[in-house]
Amino acid sequence: MQLTKYAHSCLRVEHDGGVLVIDPGVFSDPVSLDGADAVLITHEHPDHLNVEAVTRQLDRRPAPVYGPASLAATLGDAAEALRAVQPGESFTAAGVAVRAYGGRHAVIHPDIPVVDNVGYLINDVVYHPGDALVVPDLPVDTLFAPIHAAWSKFSEVVDFIRAVAPRRAYALHDALLNDNGYGLLDRQYAALSQTDYRRLEPGTRLDA
């Protein structure tokens, strides 16, 4: 597989001619969706789902959109493309094997409703958890870890990376940071995560 990391939580997966795009949100470049054969959405928040960009892409090139059933209300006219996914389910999207984990978004505050969230293990190699720190029940080679969020705590993310114990981990969910935050968190995660941790610039491509 070839991966392209776009801004914030967006990841593009290319495998055997198929193109799978995960969480094309409002902070990521809509070019990530070009040629998409399937789209995976972890949850309904706009930093993970740019409804306008996804709708435009589906108008150009119809494709299934996988995610929690609750996405139907958010997708609007594009909801007809939704294929609801449950935690524990395994399926194939764009010719790539996918396993779903989790079920609920991490708690931001007790006064803020908790939405559905599904993390995805891609081809039993790459794990994208969305906005929850759910540890999969299978070994993970490449973890994309949400390093900064209103719902997260640094120590919890470090412990999540350690619990997953991937061969390598890359930063996810980082669009609200500035250069000071990048520098601080990059140093701390690299020192404490007990794996090969790095942050990729948007548009970086790598093999998995």
Side-chain angles (χ1 to χ4, degrees):
M1 292 187 298
Q2 187 168 67
L3 310 177
T4 305
K5 172 66 174 67
Y6 285 90
H8 201 54
S9 283
C10 183
L11 185 66
R12 179 181 171 100
V13 180
E14 298 174 58
H15 181 62
D16 287 346
V19 177
L20 180 64
V21 180
I22 309 171
D23 278 6
V26 296
F27 297 141
S28 62
D29 191 336
V31 74
S32 66
L33 287 161
D34 287 355
D37 296 301
V39 180
L40 302 184
I41 305 296
T42 61
H43 65 283
E44 64 196 55
H45 291 160
D47 56 327
H48 296 257
L49 170 57
N50 183 337
V51 174
E52 182 179 348
V54 169
T55 301
R56 285 199 308 267
Q57 176 61 26
L58 295 180
D59 287 342
R60 292 192 299 264
R61 181 186 175 95
V65 176
Y66 296 85
S70 56
L71 286 177
T74 305
L75 284 167
D77 292 341
E80 62 184 18
L82 179 63
R83 299 188 184 179
V85 174
Q86 296 287 338
E89 183 177 350
S90 296
F91 57 96
T92 300
V96 181
V98 182
R99 299 178 190 266
Y101 288 90
R104 301 293 279 169
H105 192 288
V107 175
I108 301 171
H109 186 275
D111 291 346
I112 298 176
V114 177
V115 301
D116 293 335
N117 178 93
V118 177
Y120 299 108
L121 180 60
I122 309 300
N123 215 23
D124 288 347
V125 174
V126 176
Y127 186 46
H128 185 308
D131 280 9
L133 302 180
V134 175
V135 178
D137 57 356
L138 293 174
V140 172
D141 178 83
T142 302
L143 169 66
F144 283 84
I147 67 166
H148 175 263
W151 50 267
S152 71
K153 183 178 179 181
F154 173 77
S155 62
E156 294 174 346
V157 180
V158 169
D159 288 345
F160 167 68
I161 297 173
R162 290 181 177 183
V164 176
R167 179 176 64 88
R168 57 185 181 176
Y170 296 112
L172 194 73
H173 209 280
D174 58 357
L176 296 183
L177 290 168
N178 58 22
D179 288 342
N180 293 328
Y182 287 136
L184 173 63
L185 290 181
D186 285 348
R187 289 193 299 272
Q188 295 288 359
Y189 281 117
L192 296 172
S193 63
Q194 298 179 349
T195 190
D196 179 12
Y197 168 86
R198 302 180 189 182
R199 183 174 58 84
L200 304 175
E201 292 297 326
T204 300
R205 297 169 69 90
L206 64 150
D207 293 325

